[in-house]
Amino acid sequence: MDMTSIFGRLSDRFIFRRSRVASAAPPPKGQDRPGKPPAQPSGPRVRSVLSARSVAGQVFLWQLVLVVLFAAAAGVALVLQARHSTTQEARRLSLGVAQTFARAPGTVDAMKSADPTAVLQPRAEDTRKLTGVDFVVAIDPRGYRWTHPDPDLIGEHVFALRKEAAAGRPFTQDFEGSLGLAVESTVPVFDTGGRKMVGLVSVGVTVENVNAVVRSQMPILLGSVGGALALVTGGTALVSRRLRRQTHGLGPAEMTRMYEHHDAVLHAVREGVLIIGGDGRLLLANDEARRLLALPADAEQRHVTDLGLEAGTAELLVSGRAATDEVHLAGDRLLAVNIRPVDQHGGKRGSVATLRDTTELQALAGRAAVARERLRLLYEAGVRIGTSLDVVRTAEELAEVAVPRFADLATVYLQDPVLEGDEPVGPSPEMRRAAVHSAKGAWPLFPVGELIRFVPGNPVAVSVQQGRPVLAADLTASHGWRAQDPERARRILDSGLHSLITVPLQARGVVLGMVNFWRGERDAFEEEDLAFAEELAARAAVAIDNARRYTREHALAVTLQRSLLPRSLPEQSAVEVAHRYLPARAGVGGDWFDVIPLPGARVALVVGDVVGHGLHAAATMGRLRTAVRTFASLDLPPDELIRHLDEFVTRVDNEGSDGEGITGATCLYAVYDPVAGLCSLARSGHPEPALVHPDGTVEQLPVPVSPPLGLGGGLPFEKADFTLSEGSRLVLYTDGLIEDRNRDIDTGLAKLHDALTGPGRTPEETCHAVLDALLPARPSDDIALLVAQSRLLDPSQVADWDIPGDPAAVSGIRAQVSRRLEEWGLEELAFSTELVISELVTNAIRYGTAPRRLRILRDGTSLICEITDGSSTSPHLRRAADTDEGGRGLFLVAQFTQRWGTRYLARGKVIWTEQSLHSTTTEPDADMADALLDQWGDADW
């Protein structure tokens, strides 16, 4: 039990007891001296019973109060019950009379008559007298009286319709009238159809006075109260007599012994006890209080401020206010002071104070506070370190967390492989400084980024070798640390740094680096600081290792993506192209673009998107780009290519066993023919492309949309064909350009249109304008942008002829081709071209079907020959047997051209060849030609 509460109970005896010293003041009036038997009561017994100072008197007063309260409560309850019953009866009577009068025969007709008062006034008075109510009033719907007991009040306006009356419902209300509480009920009166209210009937009744009821019950109530008082008085007298009888044997010796026991307890406890009077004088101090406060021998009866106590302690003791465990200094001790004010009956106010020596507890509390602070620091380290997944930034966060709450300066060293995302081979004394953080200005240390090789005796080298933290409490005595760089060590010591803890950063058993904690403005590190430093470094090492692994994976993903994206665009003359690719801040994604030259001077433009980020998205993008290039080499129409790509994705998803499918990818594929200016497009879940006309107007091309790749479900894919004017800009993009977490797609499209609007821009300028207008500050998705400005081949660069079915026409066609080549200045290609055309035209006449047609094109880089016929068979190279007389023509075609191939039309096929304009092909010598012709021949058609 708290000593304050114990001695608070004894305060009545101790606050004003006479001091043990000779100079003690006499006790206040009305108090007995300690050790003296209590005075015997005097006067009649009744006075003793009724005295408020005796227990019996207090019990008597309490019982008297209870009896009076119970009597009052019974009287109030009686009055309220009588009044409630009377009020309810009055409400029933008024409502019944009002309803009876309203529904009486002739009431409705009277209210609808020309003079309702003449008919209703006699009836109302008869009803009032018959029923005993105070008034029966008929009122028209506007609130004017038709009847009233006082004829002078007829015709006056009495009230505005209440909502109950307006709604056609009866209502009853209580009000205080001149005769007291009254009840009024109002009932609406309707015509015979019940649809229209023609008037109201109001009946009032005064509530009967309840005094008669109360008066009849009051004698019983008063008699009960008198009987209760008699019982209380008698019971109190008996209790008083019994108390006197029980305390009659307590004499002076027993009272003295009681006080002696109290004194023994008071001076034996290990808490100091002070009893202070209301005037600020010390009335009592036990032995422990004298020892703790170093009180003089004559301290009692002296004022507290004269005892030589600390000013704060003395002020608290004489303040008279309550205090709980307030810590004050007394010499070299810390005392916890508790004070409780007390009052003596009719006497002066005083207080009891207890004192506890908390010096040792304070030291323990200090150590506990340090432990709590370090636990809090470890928690903050777990929250603040490793937020960026960047190795260097994580090292900086470690230094920032440690300073200034644990160290005045922190430096972090990492091995070079860790900075690059690789795992170090083993511990090495050669490290690079990655971070430095201090609570004040710069220190004379190695700069950040410098590679340092620590000497064997340096604490860093020792910590690396042993794999545990090393404490250098006094740097002046650390010869290994000073041997690293004596001149720099001297400057460091002169700057004030004097203590160091070196801790290895280890994760999964691998030393990633080291961290040094320095102190210069506080006490040196101690052995107990090692455990905390090691725990802090261990948490940071895990974050650094995570950042290292993320850096490695990110570098791998970036390398993979860069290897899969086109490094440079191929040479072609159909369009002028500009492009942009911007990865998201979250990491490498799966957006891609491509420009693929096609036969016949055409070009394919591709933009695709794979949902997600990371290695899987980059690898998926590479697979789709490879698949698109493969299908494009077959020269498939856009809708057919998208269909094959959808089947490819579906097959890959079905074959996957690890759940890493590629469903969710989108693609837009366009083929542009510069001869006719025709652009064919098909898309699978991808945004519509935009077309900027030469005059600067912009439109979204309405390309039929299909589900994303892998979700087509066997549905057919559609394409759209558009004729582009020369100089038109076709803009292909991924959804990351127009969609963002801070704007919706409609806003993005509107901004894209605004950025594209305007004539005379090049594709590069268009890319700049689009990114300046739409690129968010922190892109949440990859962005791929491809802008292609269309070109048209001049009609003079195209020549075509119909091929008759007669083989004799081959020579004439060959001659026409030769003349056209001379017009174009390509005489050096005449021989090889004539040879190629002779072979292909002859095969078309021999194996093909009508219609047959020859077309030659000259673009900026090549000469293209195309032979069209109506058959669908495809030629292919094969090895000619020794007995074969033919079958070597296609081999010659392959030797004299850069490329050749076949593409299919809706009806028939086209066999095409390309010859470079920048290099000439010479006729092979006879021996080589014979040897090759003996090995190869044409395929069957």
Side-chain angles (χ1 to χ4, degrees):
M1 180 181 293
D2 188 2
M3 293 300 299
T4 301
S5 61
I6 294 176
F7 290 101
R9 298 176 183 178
L10 304 177
S11 61
D12 288 349
R13 284 188 293 272
F14 289 146
I15 287 183
F16 299 107
R17 68 174 290 187
R18 186 173 63 182
S19 174
R20 289 175 293 180
V21 298
S23 60
K29 183 180 181 181
Q31 299 294 322
D32 294 333
R33 295 178 181 273
K36 182 179 180 180
Q40 297 295 327
S42 61
R45 180 177 302 176
V46 175
R47 181 179 179 183
S48 175
V49 171
L50 299 180
S51 175
R53 293 180 178 273
S54 66
V55 174
Q58 294 176 0
V59 172
F60 173 78
L61 292 177
W62 174 243
Q63 291 178 341
L64 180 62
V65 170
L66 289 180
V67 170
V68 172
L69 290 177
F70 287 150
V76 171
L78 179 62
V79 172
L80 293 178
Q81 182 179 4
R83 181 165 183 169
H84 176 74
S85 300
T86 307
T87 302
Q88 291 299 318
E89 181 63 26
R91 292 172 69 92
R92 287 193 294 270
L93 177 60
S94 64
L95 181 61
V97 173
Q99 289 178 337
T100 302
F101 188 89
R103 297 171 182 173
T107 300
V108 174
D109 295 334
M111 289 183 175
K112 294 168 63 177
S113 66
D115 188 4
T117 302
V119 180
L120 295 176
Q121 175 68 7
R123 294 184 182 183
E125 289 300 303
D126 294 339
T127 303
R128 179 177 66 83
K129 296 175 182 179
L130 180 63
T131 58
V133 299
D134 292 307
F135 61 86
V136 177
V137 179
I139 307 169
D140 73 354
R142 295 173 300 171
Y144 292 90
R145 296 191 184 100
W146 280 329
T147 67
H148 195 274
D150 186 358
D152 295 334
L153 299 180
I154 296 175
E156 292 188 1
H157 188 274
V158 292
F159 67 99
L161 290 180
R162 289 178 48 175
K163 61 180 181 179
E164 292 87 353
R169 296 193 302 270
F171 66 93
T172 302
Q173 60 181 356
D174 301 341
F175 64 95
E176 287 289 336
S178 58
L179 300 178
L181 179 64
V183 177
E184 178 184 9
S185 296
T186 302
V187 177
V189 180
F190 295 90
D191 60 5
T192 57
R195 293 184 300 273
K196 181 179 178 182
M197 186 173 69
V198 297
L200 300 99
V201 176
S202 179
V203 176
V205 180
T206 301
V207 179
E208 296 180 3
N209 198 316
V210 299
N211 291 335
V213 179
V214 175
R215 191 180 303 112
S216 63
Q217 301 293 332
M218 191 57 67
I220 300 175
L221 179 63
L222 293 178
S224 301
V225 172
L229 289 177
L231 290 176
V232 168
T233 304
T236 303
L238 293 177
V239 170
S240 176
R241 181 177 180 182
R242 184 172 182 82
L243 287 175
R244 287 197 306 273
R245 190 166 56 246
Q246 289 179 345
T247 59
H248 181 72
L250 185 62
E254 288 75 10
M255 294 295 296
T256 301
R257 186 166 58 252
M258 180 184 68
Y259 279 107
E260 290 176 351
H261 292 167
H262 291 165
D263 285 344
V265 172
L266 180 67
H267 295 289
V269 295
R270 295 192 60 186
E271 289 191 6
V273 179
L274 300 175
I275 299 181
I276 303 168
D279 56 357
R281 293 181 178 276
L282 178 64
L283 301 181
L284 183 144
N286 69 347
D287 296 340
E288 185 68 9
R290 292 175 179 275
R291 184 183 70 83
L292 294 177
L293 297 177
L295 297 177
D298 60 345
E300 294 180 346
Q301 297 303 320
R302 293 175 58 181
H303 201 277
V304 172
T305 57
D306 299 334
L307 299 178
L309 303 179
E310 296 287 341
T313 305
E315 181 182 356
L316 175 63
L317 293 176
V318 299
S319 65
R321 64 179 178 87
T324 301
D325 287 340
E326 290 194 15
V327 179
H328 288 262
L329 184 65
D332 58 349
R333 295 186 177 92
L334 291 175
L335 303 181
V337 182
N338 291 272
I339 298 180
R340 295 292 183 272
V342 294
D343 288 323
Q344 181 68 8
H345 301 301
K348 297 181 180 180
R349 182 181 178 88
S351 59
V352 176
T354 61
L355 313 172
R356 293 198 314 273
D357 189 353
T358 63
T359 305
E360 295 182 359
L361 293 176
Q362 198 71 16
L364 292 175
R367 289 194 291 271
V370 172
R372 286 195 301 270
E373 174 64 20
R374 293 191 172 179
L375 285 175
R376 189 179 298 111
L377 183 56
L378 287 176
Y379 170 76
E380 291 185 9
V383 174
R384 294 175 54 187
I385 299 176
T387 59
S388 63
L389 289 178
D390 180 80
V391 174
V392 175
R393 179 57 193 152
T394 304
E396 293 173 349
E397 290 170 344
L398 167 59
E400 292 169 0
V401 167
V403 177
R405 296 165 65 179
F406 178 66
D408 298 321
L409 172 68
T411 56
V412 182
Y413 310 87
L414 297 176
Q415 296 195 48
D416 276 347
V418 176
L419 294 170
E420 298 172 0
D422 297 328
E423 184 172 320
V425 178
S428 171
E430 187 175 79
M431 299 184 187
R432 192 175 300 276
R433 176 160 286 173
V436 175
H437 186 71
S438 66
K440 62 176 189 177
W443 301 84
L445 302 175
F446 291 105
V448 174
E450 184 168 341
L451 184 64
I452 307 172
R453 186 172 185 83
F454 296 96
V455 298
N458 191 285
V460 173
V462 174
S463 181
V464 169
Q465 182 180 4
Q466 298 179 358
R468 61 177 181 82
V470 174
L471 169 64
D474 185 5
L475 288 177
T476 59
S478 179
H479 301 290
W481 173 77
R482 302 182 62 167
Q484 178 73 38
D485 189 338
E487 176 59 25
R488 190 181 298 272
R490 182 189 63 78
R491 287 188 283 123
I492 291 175
L493 293 175
D494 292 343
S495 67
L497 295 177
H498 58 80
S499 186
L500 169 67
I501 288 181
T502 299
V503 188
L505 296 171
Q506 300 183 84
R508 299 178 294 105
V510 178
V511 177
L512 306 175
M514 305 295 296
V515 56
N516 283 352
F517 301 109
W518 310 74
R519 281 187 179 177
E521 298 182 352
R522 63 178 75 186
D523 296 338
F525 287 113
E526 300 176 357
E527 289 290 338
E528 62 182 15
D529 295 319
L530 288 176
F532 172 76
E534 190 172 14
E535 177 66 21
L536 182 60
R539 298 194 178 199
V542 174
I544 291 175
D545 188 54
N546 290 338
R548 177 197 65 80
R549 297 169 68 180
Y550 172 79
T551 301
R552 180 175 179 272
E553 292 182 1
H554 183 72
L556 289 176
V558 169
T559 302
L560 174 62
Q561 186 183 44
R562 288 177 179 174
S563 66
L564 295 176
L565 285 173
R567 299 185 180 182
S568 61
L569 297 181
E571 186 178 0
Q572 47 81 34
S573 58
V575 291
E576 180 185 353
V577 177
H579 61 87
R580 295 290 187 275
Y581 175 78
L582 300 175
R585 295 292 182 94
V588 176
D591 291 13
W592 92 93
F593 64 91
D594 211 343
V595 178
I596 307 172
L598 297 177
R602 297 170 303 137
V603 66
L605 305 173
V606 190
V607 173
D609 186 4
V610 175
V611 177
H613 298 88
L615 282 175
H616 176 67
T620 301
M621 177 269 291
R623 298 170 72 179
L624 292 180
R625 180 169 179 255
T626 302
V628 169
R629 279 189 162 268
T630 301
F631 295 140
S633 66
L634 300 177
D635 210 346
L636 298 174
D639 53 341
E640 289 296 319
L641 185 140
I642 293 295
R643 181 177 63 81
H644 283 289
L645 193 61
D646 179 77
E647 293 175 353
F648 168 76
V649 172
T650 302
R651 185 168 60 254
V652 171
D653 285 339
N654 293 335
E655 293 174 354
S657 58
D658 56 355
E660 292 285 350
I662 58 178
T663 301
T666 64
C667 182
L668 172 63
Y669 184 80
V671 175
Y672 175 65
D673 185 357
V675 177
L678 183 65
C679 184
S680 298
L681 303 98
R683 62 186 177 124
S684 177
H686 205 80
E688 290 181 344
L691 179 64
V692 185
H693 295 282
D695 60 357
T697 59
V698 182
E699 68 168 320
Q700 291 291 123
L701 294 183
V703 181
V705 66
S706 301
L709 296 174
L711 302 177
L715 297 176
F717 291 85
E718 300 180 54
K719 69 173 181 175
D721 296 327
F722 303 93
T723 300
L724 307 185
S725 303
E726 185 170 12
S728 300
R729 283 168 285 158
L730 185 64
V731 182
L732 313 181
Y733 51 88
T734 56
D735 57 0
L737 180 67
I738 57 175
E739 286 187 276
D740 187 69
R741 65 185 63 181
N742 298 321
R743 66 168 182 250
D744 57 21
I745 189 171
D746 293 333
T747 304
L749 286 174
K751 287 189 173 184
L752 177 63
H753 280 214
D754 294 341
L756 292 175
T757 301
R761 289 179 182 168
T762 65
E764 280 292 335
E765 292 171 345
T766 302
C767 288
H768 280 296
V770 169
L771 294 183
D772 289 344
L774 282 88
L775 184 64
R778 295 183 62 86
S780 58
D781 195 5
D782 298 356
I783 296 175
L785 175 64
L786 185 65
V787 179
Q789 184 167 321
S790 63
R791 297 170 178 164
L792 289 178
L793 286 182
D794 191 90
S796 62
Q797 296 177 270
V798 182
D800 55 356
W801 299 269
D802 290 329
I803 301 175
D806 186 4
V810 174
S811 60
I813 293 174
R814 186 168 56 242
Q816 295 179 41
V817 171
S818 179
R819 286 193 298 270
R820 180 54 64 96
L821 293 180
E822 290 178 3
E823 294 175 4
W824 288 347
L826 302 178
E827 294 87 352
E828 67 275 8
L829 297 178
F831 173 76
S832 58
T833 304
E834 290 179 10
L835 181 61
V836 170
I837 288 177
S838 289
E839 178 64 28
L840 296 181
V841 171
T842 301
N843 287 342
I845 295 173
R846 180 179 302 175
Y847 304 110
T849 61
R852 304 177 184 87
R853 192 167 183 82
L854 167 64
R855 184 174 73 167
I856 60 174
L857 309 172
R858 178 195 175 188
D859 63 3
T861 59
S862 59
L863 177 66
I864 303 169
C865 299
E866 297 180 343
I867 293 88
T868 306
D869 71 85
S871 67
S872 58
T873 57
S874 175
H876 61 276
L877 287 173
R878 67 179 177 85
R879 183 182 297 274
D882 295 340
T883 59
D884 289 340
E885 296 181 359
R888 298 173 177 83
L890 286 182
F891 178 76
L892 292 176
V893 172
Q895 292 299 307
F896 284 96
T897 60
Q898 279 189 318
R899 296 190 304 161
W900 75 276
T902 305
R903 73 174 184 269
Y904 293 92
L905 307 175
R907 292 185 59 187
K909 65 178 181 299
V910 177
I911 301 176
W912 56 268
T913 65
E914 286 186 8
Q915 297 169 265
S916 175
L917 299 182
H918 303 300
S919 62
T920 59
T921 303
T922 60
E923 182 181 5
D925 59 75
D927 294 337
M928 181 179 293
D930 291 341
L932 293 174
L933 291 175
D934 289 340
Q935 300 297 322
W936 301 93
D938 295 335
D940 293 336
W941 287 61

